[in-house]
């Protein structure tokens, strides 16, 4: 969503600069940056081998139909009843979610793994289950985000725009 408003103006201001966008999970983007496949990457800020500019925190959220009520957060141990629609492994938020589940001794019922935030959101809207997503995903009509917590603390990290210190 951020790039769709930024890129057209950037292209107008810098017509001789080629920008190629690679969509991938946060874990794999760090590998691509390390290997020199990309020059900049949006990654968790706690990857110390890169230089970067801090952006904003991302938290793991449950995406559920708006009827979920007025919950301010949901403890990870309460996610065992609903089928979950999650991003595939390799996305930072999925890795954080899996780590928190392991720490809490939770084995959530995963109905579907996707490589697309949009697919997760549309399946939630259709009533297929509840989604597990990063908080940076733009919400959709009739879907509400509720932070997932573990022992009362939000699950997530700060993010940064990163580049290799070697290049």
């Amino acid at each position: 969503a951020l790039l769709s408003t930024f890129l057209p103006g950037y292209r107008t201001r810098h017509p001789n600069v080629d920008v190629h966008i690679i969509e991938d999970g946060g874990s794999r983007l760090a590998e691509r940056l390390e290997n020199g496949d990309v020059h900049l990457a949006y990654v968790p800020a706690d990857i110390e081998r890169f230089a970067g500019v801090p952006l904003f925190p991302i938290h793991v959220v449950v995406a559920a139909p708006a009827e979920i009520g007025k919950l301010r957060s949901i403890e990870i141990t309460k996610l065992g009843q609903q089928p979950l629609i999650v991003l595939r492994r390799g996305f930072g938020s999925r890795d954080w979610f899996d780590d928190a589940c392991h720490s809490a001794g939770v084995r959530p019922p995963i109905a579907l793994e996707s490589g697309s935030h949009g697919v997760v959101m549309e399946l939630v809207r259709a009533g297929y289950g509840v989604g597990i997503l990063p908080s940076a995903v733009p919400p959709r009509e009739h879907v509400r985000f509720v932070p997932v917590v573990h022992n009362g603390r939000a699950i997530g990290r700060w993010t940064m725009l990163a580049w290799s210190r070697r290049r």
Side-chain angles (χ1 to χ4, degrees):
L2 295 174
L3 290 176
S4 66
T5 57
F6 169 77
L7 287 174
Y10 186 85
R11 179 183 289 155
T12 300
R13 289 186 307 279
H14 306 280
N16 296 323
V17 175
D18 288 331
V19 175
H20 301 273
I21 306 296
I22 298 173
E23 290 184 296
D24 209 342
S27 301
R28 287 182 303 277
L29 280 173
E31 292 172 21
R32 288 176 182 261
L33 187 57
E34 184 72 29
N35 295 336
D37 299 334
V38 297
H39 298 285
L40 296 169
Y42 170 65
V43 298
D46 55 0
I47 304 176
E48 296 178 5
R49 67 186 183 267
F50 302 128
V53 175
L55 296 175
F56 44 83
I58 299 291
H59 300 287
V60 176
V61 297
V62 167
E67 306 86 59
I68 195 168
K70 302 266 186 228
L71 287 178
R72 295 177 65 83
S73 65
I74 186 165
E75 185 65 41
I76 199 163
T77 56
K78 304 289 185 201
L79 292 176
Q81 297 80 26
Q82 295 272 349
L84 299 181
I85 308 161
V86 299
L87 295 170
R88 69 175 184 259
R89 287 184 171 86
F91 283 87
S93 61
R94 170 65 189 272
D95 295 343
W96 309 333
F97 177 74
D98 286 349
D99 290 347
C101 285
H102 180 75
S103 175
V106 174
R107 294 189 64 159
I110 295 177
L112 183 129
E113 294 182 61
S114 176
S116 166
H117 302 100
V119 168
V120 173
M121 289 292 284
E122 288 306 313
L123 288 171
V124 167
R125 282 179 47 171
Y128 190 69
V130 296
I132 301 295
L133 289 167
S135 58
V137 171
R140 303 254 172 98
E141 191 175 2
H142 305 299
V143 175
R144 182 163 182 261
F145 287 171
V146 176
V148 179
V149 297
H150 177 45
N151 294 327
R153 296 186 59 175
I155 302 166
R157 305 233 181 6
W158 271 84
T159 59
M160 70 177 178
L161 182 62
W163 54 88
S164 173
R165 295 179 192 278
R166 298 179 299 164
R167 293 183 187 79

